[in-house]
Amino acid sequence: MNEWLMVLLGTALVNNVVLVKFLGLCPFMGVSRKIDSALGMSLATTFVLVLTSALTWVLEHELLAPLGLGYLRILGFILVIAATVQFVELVMKKNTPELHQVLGLYLPLITTNCAVLGIALLNAQEGAGFVPSVLYAFGSGVGFTIALILFAGLRERLALARVPAAFSGAPIGFITAGLLALAFMGFAGLTNH
Protein backbone atom coordinates (compact mmCIF):
# COMPACT_ATOMS: atom_id res chain seq x y z
CA MET A 1 0.00 0.00 0.00
CA ASN A 2 2.83 2.37 0.89
CA GLU A 3 4.53 1.59 -2.43
CA TRP A 4 1.37 2.49 -4.35
CA LEU A 5 1.10 5.80 -2.51
CA MET A 6 4.69 6.56 -3.49
CA VAL A 7 3.89 5.76 -7.14
CA LEU A 8 0.96 8.19 -7.03
CA LEU A 9 2.90 10.97 -5.34
CA GLY A 10 5.96 10.39 -7.50
CA THR A 11 4.07 10.61 -10.77
CA ALA A 12 1.93 13.56 -9.68
CA LEU A 13 4.67 15.73 -8.17
CA VAL A 14 8.22 14.47 -8.71
CA ASN A 15 7.87 13.20 -12.29
CA ASN A 16 4.98 15.41 -13.37
CA VAL A 17 4.02 14.45 -16.90
CA VAL A 18 3.73 18.08 -18.08
CA LEU A 19 6.22 20.05 -16.03
CA VAL A 20 9.04 17.50 -15.76
CA LYS A 21 8.58 15.11 -18.70
CA PHE A 22 7.17 17.85 -20.98
CA LEU A 23 4.40 15.67 -22.40
CA GLY A 24 0.93 17.04 -23.08
CA LEU A 25 2.01 20.63 -23.71
CA CYS A 26 -0.61 21.32 -26.39
CA PRO A 27 -3.62 21.10 -24.03
CA PHE A 28 -1.50 22.62 -21.26
CA MET A 29 -1.05 25.81 -23.28
CA GLY A 30 -4.34 25.68 -25.19
CA VAL A 31 -6.96 24.97 -22.53
CA SER A 32 -5.42 26.80 -19.59
CA ARG A 33 -7.00 30.22 -19.99
CA LYS A 34 -9.87 29.50 -17.57
CA ILE A 35 -9.94 27.21 -14.56
CA ASP A 36 -13.31 25.70 -15.55
CA SER A 37 -12.15 24.51 -18.96
CA ALA A 38 -8.79 23.41 -17.50
CA LEU A 39 -10.59 21.30 -14.90
CA GLY A 40 -12.86 19.71 -17.50
CA MET A 41 -9.95 18.93 -19.82
CA SER A 42 -7.81 17.54 -17.03
CA LEU A 43 -10.60 15.28 -15.75
CA ALA A 44 -11.28 14.01 -19.27
CA THR A 45 -7.57 13.44 -19.85
CA THR A 46 -7.17 11.65 -16.51
CA PHE A 47 -10.08 9.37 -17.35
CA VAL A 48 -8.62 8.64 -20.79
CA LEU A 49 -5.14 8.06 -19.28
CA VAL A 50 -6.43 5.52 -16.77
CA LEU A 51 -8.76 3.70 -19.15
CA THR A 52 -6.25 3.53 -22.01
CA SER A 53 -3.51 2.42 -19.64
CA ALA A 54 -5.65 -0.49 -18.51
CA LEU A 55 -6.73 -1.37 -22.06
CA THR A 56 -3.25 -1.08 -23.56
CA TRP A 57 -1.81 -3.21 -20.75
CA VAL A 58 -4.30 -5.95 -21.63
CA LEU A 59 -3.56 -5.53 -25.35
CA GLU A 60 0.20 -5.72 -24.73
CA HIS A 61 0.20 -8.68 -22.33
CA GLU A 62 -2.66 -10.75 -23.76
CA LEU A 63 -2.24 -10.25 -27.48
CA LEU A 64 0.85 -8.46 -28.74
CA ALA A 65 3.55 -10.02 -26.53
CA PRO A 66 2.28 -13.64 -26.64
CA LEU A 67 1.92 -13.53 -30.43
CA GLY A 68 5.22 -11.73 -30.99
CA LEU A 69 3.50 -8.69 -32.47
CA GLY A 70 5.45 -6.04 -30.57
CA TYR A 71 6.01 -4.12 -33.79
CA LEU A 72 2.26 -3.31 -33.80
CA ARG A 73 2.42 -1.74 -30.31
CA ILE A 74 2.21 1.93 -31.32
CA LEU A 75 -0.51 1.32 -33.90
CA GLY A 76 -2.56 -0.76 -31.46
CA PHE A 77 -2.13 1.76 -28.66
CA ILE A 78 -3.20 4.64 -30.91
CA LEU A 79 -6.33 2.74 -31.94
CA VAL A 80 -7.21 2.08 -28.29
CA ILE A 81 -6.61 5.75 -27.41
CA ALA A 82 -8.72 7.00 -30.34
CA ALA A 83 -11.62 4.70 -29.44
CA THR A 84 -11.46 5.74 -25.79
CA VAL A 85 -11.46 9.44 -26.67
CA GLN A 86 -14.44 8.92 -28.97
CA PHE A 87 -16.26 7.22 -26.09
CA VAL A 88 -15.42 10.08 -23.70
CA GLU A 89 -16.49 12.67 -26.25
CA LEU A 90 -19.85 10.98 -26.82
CA VAL A 91 -20.50 10.67 -23.08
CA MET A 92 -19.48 14.29 -22.46
CA LYS A 93 -21.59 15.57 -25.36
CA LYS A 94 -24.63 13.78 -23.96
CA ASN A 95 -24.14 14.50 -20.24
CA THR A 96 -22.33 17.87 -20.15
CA PRO A 97 -22.95 19.69 -23.44
CA GLU A 98 -21.71 23.01 -22.01
CA LEU A 99 -18.32 21.55 -21.13
CA HIS A 100 -18.21 19.72 -24.46
CA GLN A 101 -18.73 23.04 -26.25
CA VAL A 102 -16.12 24.85 -24.11
CA LEU A 103 -13.47 22.20 -24.77
CA GLY A 104 -14.36 22.19 -28.46
CA LEU A 105 -11.43 21.17 -30.62
CA TYR A 106 -9.22 20.25 -27.67
CA LEU A 107 -11.30 17.23 -26.67
CA PRO A 108 -10.58 15.20 -29.84
CA LEU A 109 -6.96 16.33 -29.52
CA ILE A 110 -6.64 14.10 -26.45
CA THR A 111 -6.16 11.39 -29.07
CA THR A 112 -2.93 13.04 -30.14
CA ASN A 113 -1.91 14.12 -26.63
CA CYS A 114 1.56 12.68 -26.37
CA ALA A 115 1.09 12.23 -22.61
CA VAL A 116 -1.58 9.57 -23.18
CA LEU A 117 0.52 7.58 -25.65
CA GLY A 118 3.69 8.27 -23.66
CA ILE A 119 2.28 6.80 -20.43
CA ALA A 120 1.01 3.71 -22.26
CA LEU A 121 4.41 3.20 -23.91
CA LEU A 122 6.31 3.79 -20.65
CA ASN A 123 4.14 1.18 -18.93
CA ALA A 124 4.79 -1.30 -21.73
CA GLN A 125 8.53 -0.57 -21.71
CA GLU A 126 8.82 -0.95 -17.93
CA GLY A 127 6.87 -4.21 -17.99
CA ALA A 128 4.95 -3.18 -14.88
CA GLY A 129 1.97 -5.18 -13.67
CA PHE A 130 -1.61 -4.18 -14.26
CA VAL A 131 -2.23 -2.34 -10.97
CA PRO A 132 1.07 -0.38 -11.03
CA SER A 133 0.41 0.61 -14.65
CA VAL A 134 -3.06 1.91 -13.82
CA LEU A 135 -1.75 3.69 -10.70
CA TYR A 136 1.03 5.29 -12.75
CA ALA A 137 -1.54 6.51 -15.27
CA PHE A 138 -3.80 7.85 -12.51
CA GLY A 139 -0.88 9.61 -10.83
CA SER A 140 0.10 11.10 -14.18
CA GLY A 141 -3.48 12.30 -14.62
CA VAL A 142 -3.42 13.88 -11.16
CA GLY A 143 -0.13 15.56 -12.05
CA PHE A 144 -1.61 16.76 -15.33
CA THR A 145 -4.58 18.14 -13.39
CA ILE A 146 -2.36 19.91 -10.85
CA ALA A 147 -0.27 21.49 -13.59
CA LEU A 148 -3.29 22.58 -15.64
CA ILE A 149 -5.20 24.04 -12.68
CA LEU A 150 -2.15 25.89 -11.34
CA PHE A 151 -1.33 27.28 -14.75
CA ALA A 152 -4.95 28.27 -15.46
CA GLY A 153 -5.11 30.09 -12.13
CA LEU A 154 -1.89 31.93 -12.89
CA ARG A 155 -3.11 32.84 -16.37
CA GLU A 156 -6.39 34.17 -14.98
CA ARG A 157 -4.41 36.38 -12.61
CA LEU A 158 -2.10 37.49 -15.42
CA ALA A 159 -5.10 38.50 -17.53
CA LEU A 160 -5.92 41.07 -14.85
CA ALA A 161 -2.33 42.26 -14.39
CA ARG A 162 -0.59 45.03 -16.26
CA VAL A 163 1.91 43.22 -18.45
CA PRO A 164 4.22 45.07 -20.86
CA ALA A 165 2.88 44.89 -24.42
CA ALA A 166 5.86 42.85 -25.63
CA PHE A 167 5.07 40.15 -23.07
CA SER A 168 1.27 40.09 -23.21
CA GLY A 169 -0.49 36.96 -24.42
CA ALA A 170 1.58 33.91 -25.33
CA PRO A 171 5.00 35.25 -24.25
CA ILE A 172 3.97 35.76 -20.61
CA GLY A 173 2.24 32.38 -20.75
CA PHE A 174 5.46 30.66 -21.81
CA ILE A 175 7.47 32.52 -19.19
CA THR A 176 4.98 31.49 -16.50
CA ALA A 177 5.01 27.87 -17.73
CA GLY A 178 8.81 27.88 -17.57
CA LEU A 179 8.81 29.19 -14.01
CA LEU A 180 6.20 26.62 -12.99
CA ALA A 181 8.30 23.86 -14.58
CA LEU A 182 11.36 25.09 -12.67
CA ALA A 183 9.38 24.88 -9.45
CA PHE A 184 8.45 21.26 -10.18
CA MET A 185 12.01 20.45 -11.19
CA GLY A 186 12.86 21.29 -7.59
CA PHE A 187 10.75 18.30 -6.51
CA ALA A 188 12.73 16.08 -8.88
CA GLY A 189 15.97 17.37 -7.34
CA LEU A 190 14.80 16.21 -3.90
CA THR A 191 14.92 12.57 -4.97
CA ASN A 192 18.53 12.79 -6.14
CA HIS A 193 19.92 13.46 -2.64
Side-chain angles (χ1 to χ4, degrees):
M1 185 69 166
N2 207 13
E3 180 183 328
W4 292 353
L5 180 62
M6 295 308 289
V7 168
L8 287 173
L9 287 175
T11 55
L13 298 175
V14 179
N15 291 313
N16 186 285
V17 70
V18 177
L19 299 172
V20 175
K21 294 187 184 279
F22 303 113
L23 297 173
L25 292 176
C26 179
F28 177 71
M29 292 304 291
V31 188
S32 59
R33 295 195 203 296
K34 301 270 187 217
I35 290 179
D36 295 343
S37 59
L39 181 63
M41 176 57 119
S42 60
L43 292 176
T45 301
T46 300
F47 181 75
V48 168
L49 269 169
V50 171
L51 191 57
T52 57
S53 182
L55 293 173
T56 56
W57 188 93
V58 171
L59 178 66
E60 174 71 19
H61 289 86
E62 299 298 325
L63 184 65
L64 298 177
L67 297 177
L69 300 173
Y71 57 91
L72 293 175
R73 179 183 290 153
I74 291 177
L75 179 63
F77 286 11
I78 289 173
L79 288 173
V80 168
I81 292 166
T84 305
V85 169
Q86 282 298 111
F87 170 73
V88 169
E89 187 174 11
L90 289 173
V91 168
M92 193 176 282
K93 188 174 186 178
K94 181 178 172 147
N95 295 326
T96 56
E98 308 86 28
L99 182 60
H100 182 266
Q101 188 173 1
V102 166
L103 293 177
L105 174 68
Y106 290 102
L107 193 57
L109 284 178
I110 294 175
T111 303
T112 60
N113 184 340
C114 57
V116 179
L117 180 59
I119 297 304
L121 289 172
L122 282 171
N123 282 334
Q125 181 181 358
E126 294 295 319
F130 181 77
V131 172
S133 293
V134 172
L135 281 175
Y136 186 75
F138 180 70
S140 295
V142 169
F144 184 80
T145 301
I146 290 169
L148 220 59
I149 298 299
L150 283 174
F151 192 54
L154 290 170
R155 285 184 83 176
E156 282 186 0
R157 296 284 307 247
L158 283 171
L160 301 174
R162 289 182 25 198
V163 177
F167 292 109
S168 65
I172 195 68
F174 283 114
I175 291 168
T176 306
L179 292 172
L180 195 55
L182 282 172
F184 270 77
M185 290 289 188
F187 285 126
L190 290 176
T191 59
N192 295 333
H193 297 297

